[in-house]
Amino acid sequence: QMLSRFWLLRSKQALFVTACTVAIAIIAVTIIVRSYRRNYQVLAPLKTDKTIEYLADDILASVPPNGILNLSHDTSAFAVNYAYYVQKKRPDIRYVYFPLLQHHWYRESLRRRYPDIIIPSLPSSASFKSYLKLFFDSNVTTRSILDEDMNKTVVEHWVPRGLLFMY
């Protein structure tokens, strides 16, 4: 008799767990379906939205042939990253993220990827500002250097060019 009570209790617990699992699954599916219905009309037009592609094209069009480009804002950087690396647009541009130039691994990576630009060694006593100025001065005679902001590290010689500023 005790054994039968144990199995009865056990089966009631199993039934309760199963009922709870089914209830949670139904609630989850309901939330997902309602969310999809509510948001589809808002999100559907995004399939044909080309705003980011146009931004990337406009930024890349602002760079003269063989220019060196730095972007530091997420929206413009992600747009151009996609156009440059995935769509292979403007392979003549050298895409360099200036703040990473202070790291040895990044300078080595750039030397391998872009052997045609000058990547000076970083003297141990040099500040990042002086190194960036050295990088600019080493390359500006053969390539235009562009940034989406007037780079505050090297403040002189910036002029507007399209959506960018040119050193």
Side-chain angles (χ1 to χ4, degrees):
Q1 189 174 17
M2 192 163 163
L3 189 58
S4 65
R5 275 193 210 165
F6 173 76
W7 286 112
L8 184 62
L9 182 62
R10 199 82 161 129
S11 63
K12 285 182 181 180
Q13 286 177 340
L15 184 61
F16 178 74
V17 168
T18 303
C20 287
T21 304
V22 169
I24 290 171
I26 289 171
I27 291 170
V29 168
T30 303
I31 290 171
I32 291 169
V33 168
R34 291 184 82 199
S35 177
Y36 178 77
R37 282 185 171 168
R38 198 173 310 141
N39 293 313
Y40 180 76
Q41 292 176 344
V42 176
L43 298 176
L46 294 179
K47 285 193 291 188
T48 58
D49 185 1
K50 301 286 184 192
T51 305
I52 292 298
E53 288 89 344
Y54 295 151
L55 174 63
D57 291 343
D58 290 345
I59 290 171
L60 292 174
S62 299
V63 181
N66 302 312
I68 296 174
L69 174 62
N70 173 64
L71 299 171
S72 53
H73 298 291
D74 288 349
T75 303
S76 54
F78 294 153
V80 171
N81 282 346
Y82 181 75
Y84 185 75
Y85 292 112
V86 176
Q87 296 177 321
K88 306 292 186 205
K89 291 183 178 179
R90 294 296 307 271
D92 62 299
I93 292 174
R94 301 301 176 243
Y95 194 25
V96 178
Y97 185 58
F98 296 154
L100 290 180
L101 283 171
Q102 56 193 322
H103 300 289
H104 175 73
W105 60 267
Y106 187 67
R107 291 191 306 276
E108 288 303 315
S109 172
L110 288 177
R111 285 185 185 109
R112 285 189 302 275
R113 186 179 312 136
Y114 306 130
D116 53 335
I117 62 173
I118 299 167
I119 311 291
S121 296
L122 178 64
S124 58
S125 62
S127 67
F128 177 65
K129 180 179 179 174
S130 63
Y131 178 77
L132 196 56
K133 178 85 169 100
L134 175 63
F135 174 81
F136 285 8
D137 292 342
S138 300
N139 289 287
V140 75
T141 56
T142 57
R143 295 179 177 276
S144 301
I145 299 173
L146 294 103
D147 199 333
E148 64 187 321
D149 294 321
M150 286 188 285
N151 195 299
K152 293 166 186 57
T153 309
V154 181
V155 293
E156 65 275 354
H157 306 297
W158 292 101
V159 294
R161 181 180 169 100
L163 296 178
L164 304 170
F165 291 92
M166 186 167 68
Y167 181 77

